[in-house]
Amino acid sequence: MRIGCLQFAPQVGDVSNNLNRADACLARADPMELENLDLLVLPEMAFSGYNFKSLEHIMPFLEPSGSGISALWARTSALKYDCIVAVGYPEKVDSSRQRRFSAPRYYNSLIMVNGDGETLANYRKSFLYYTDATWASEGDGFFGGEIDGLGQVAMGICMDIKYGSIPSPYRFEMPWNTYEFGFHILEVKANLVILSMAWLTQEDPSTFTPFTQEPDMETISYWVQRLEPVIRKEQKDEIIVVFCNRCGIEDDVVYAGTSAVVGIKNGEVSVYGLLGRGVKELLIVNTDLPPFAKLVSREKVTEPAPEPLPHPTAVPVPPSMVSPAKASPTKDRLSRLPEADEPVEDPPATAIKVIRRNDSNDSSWTSPAYHRSAQSVTPFRWRA
């Protein structure tokens, strides 16, 4: 399957220029690469921008269900490249079309159209972030279904990957083991997962933005960990996961970029393509070809205390006084999923590392241990 991820830096409320920014990225792409494209994915709220402060702020940029400027761009591009296109947009549902509600409803949505311009899906984000919770309603659940030309597809938007249980825009205290989207992928037996995102970084802009070509390893590690049930299932058939994020700065927020296409098979995570945190371009991968890297777990174990140096007058140290190696919580976590009522420890902090194919130097693209929302990240590193 040939998949395109369009990573760029839209600005809030600047629709016309955002359309031009997306078109410019496509224009810079190799025309040969665009041939036989099966799927093109754009970020969350790609043309409106994301960082709206209120319903009043976003109101001029809301689009009618499946018929606004985003849907028009998606259909035009789908016809041009003869592929399926998925674009995030802010949706306004006319109250006359609703039975349950008398007032209009607003959603953070993802529309998917085919090469004939037909709407295949219109998914509405289930788990809202603080920002879109100021204006959007929650959707009715994750998308899962058969899409002609793609197979069995699961779709989510950004924070859908993080939270579970009862939808709530402020449910940031969810336990780490609430992998609702990960279990959804298994439940619908998806062979393709699409995540359209506007994922932020918590890092200071002065230290984050200068390294535009480098992926944000903290972010990609976190995304993959949220799919732990899929990895642990160790299925023989590969599941392709598309993380399409945006980049750049919008007012007071910095986006993490790092769009990627990975494959999960037999408990391993293969990397088919990965963009830098600030790169504005179209990532195109062919999942029929071998991946260029793998993401693997690296357990973090404390080494035992060294033996005391020999000395003529040294007093032997009892074995009980030597600190033993600590058991790795990661190994236990990889063996099984915890029960619903079982207390769960936060994953251990670690560093992650990329080793690209044909590169003997394993120091490229490294990242230290990090914490986000008082949660640590399970050990991962990359290898060819």
Side-chain angles (χ1 to χ4, degrees):
M1 183 182 299
R2 293 181 62 83
I3 300 171
C5 275
L6 184 51
Q7 177 173 295
F8 69 116
Q11 293 299 301
V12 65
D14 193 12
V15 176
S16 179
N17 284 325
N18 290 339
L19 291 165
N20 291 335
R21 291 178 178 109
D23 289 337
C25 288
L26 288 171
R28 289 195 299 269
D30 185 345
M32 298 294 291
E33 290 288 321
L34 289 170
E35 291 185 3
N36 302 316
L37 198 63
D38 296 300
L39 173 66
L40 174 62
V41 184
L42 271 70
E44 177 181 9
M45 297 174 63
F47 300 128
S48 64
Y50 178 76
N51 194 29
F52 292 96
K53 306 300 184 182
S54 65
L55 177 58
E56 182 181 12
H57 190 193
I58 198 175
M59 186 64 75
F61 308 102
L62 294 168
E63 303 178 27
S65 302
S67 59
I69 189 66
S70 298
L72 176 61
W73 188 94
R75 291 189 174 93
T76 302
S77 299
L79 291 168
K80 181 178 181 179
Y81 300 111
D82 190 24
C83 68
I84 292 173
V85 177
V87 180
Y89 76 106
E91 178 187 9
K92 178 181 179 180
V93 181
D94 190 341
S95 58
S96 63
R97 299 183 179 182
Q98 302 179 95
R99 298 179 181 179
R100 292 186 296 166
F101 308 106
S102 57
R105 301 281 281 187
Y106 314 106
Y107 299 95
N108 183 339
S109 301
L110 180 66
I111 188 171
M112 175 182 282
V113 301
N114 64 14
D116 295 325
E118 301 170 335
T119 300
L120 301 176
N122 190 76
Y123 168 69
R124 294 164 180 165
K125 188 176 181 180
S126 298
F127 296 100
L128 305 177
Y129 190 54
Y130 288 115
T131 307
D132 47 11
T134 62
W135 60 269
S137 299
E138 296 161 346
D140 295 328
F142 306 131
F143 175 88
E146 182 78 19
I147 299 292
D148 189 27
L150 300 180
Q152 198 69 19
V153 178
M155 282 196 293
I157 299 176
C158 204
M159 299 302 282
D160 284 339
I161 198 175
K162 182 170 185 179
Y163 298 113
S165 188
I166 302 172
S168 170
Y170 305 109
R171 191 170 289 273
F172 293 96
E173 72 280 3
M174 294 304 301
W176 176 264
N177 65 319
T178 310
Y179 301 101
E180 187 162 321
F181 189 76
F183 285 118
H184 168 74
I185 295 170
L186 297 177
E187 183 179 355
V188 301
K189 300 180 180 179
N191 61 275
L192 175 65
V193 180
I194 299 171
L195 282 155
S196 178
M197 314 174 92
W199 194 278
L200 314 179
T201 177
Q202 302 301 319
E203 193 172 329
D204 186 90
S206 63
T207 58
F208 186 84
T209 55
F211 307 100
T212 57
Q213 299 297 319
E214 295 186 11
D216 181 11
M217 293 292 94
E218 299 174 356
T219 293
I220 187 65
S221 178
Y222 188 93
W223 291 343
V224 169
Q225 287 176 84
R226 299 312 300 160
L227 304 180
E228 185 172 328
V230 183
I231 299 171
R232 198 175 295 180
K233 184 71 174 178
E234 298 189 1
Q235 296 190 144
K236 295 182 179 180
D237 295 328
E238 187 174 46
I239 299 175
I240 299 298
V241 184
V242 181
F243 299 106
C244 185
N245 197 25
R246 57 157 297 169
C247 61
I249 299 176
E250 238 180 12
D251 296 332
D252 55 343
V253 297
V254 182
Y255 297 93
T258 316
S259 295
V261 179
V262 305
I264 303 175
K265 180 180 180 181
N266 293 325
E268 295 186 342
V269 181
S270 301
V271 185
Y272 289 95
L274 180 64
L275 289 179
R277 64 186 67 184
V279 172
K280 303 169 187 175
E281 68 178 51
L282 178 66
L283 170 68
I284 300 179
V285 304
N286 187 347
T287 60
D288 294 328
L289 299 178
F292 81 90
K294 284 188 178 181
L295 177 64
V296 297
S297 174
R298 180 177 60 192
E299 297 183 357
K300 193 166 186 174
V301 179
T302 302
E303 296 294 334
E307 292 288 337
L309 294 174
H311 192 277
T313 60
V315 178
V317 179
S320 61
M321 294 183 64
V322 179
S323 299
K326 294 182 179 179
S328 169
T330 306
K331 185 175 182 179
D332 294 337
R333 288 177 55 78
L334 291 176
S335 63
R336 63 180 180 84
L337 289 174
E339 300 296 334
D341 58 349
E342 182 179 348
V344 180
E345 296 181 4
D346 286 341
T350 187
I352 54 179
K353 184 176 296 185
V354 170
I355 306 177
R356 292 169 288 187
R357 288 197 183 281
N358 302 321
D359 186 356
S360 59
N361 182 2
D362 68 355
S363 63
S364 59
W365 294 347
T366 60
S367 171
Y370 82 109
H371 298 262
R372 175 171 293 152
S373 301
Q375 300 230 22
S376 306
V377 171
T378 306
F380 281 110
R381 67 180 174 87
W382 299 79
R383 71 179 181 190

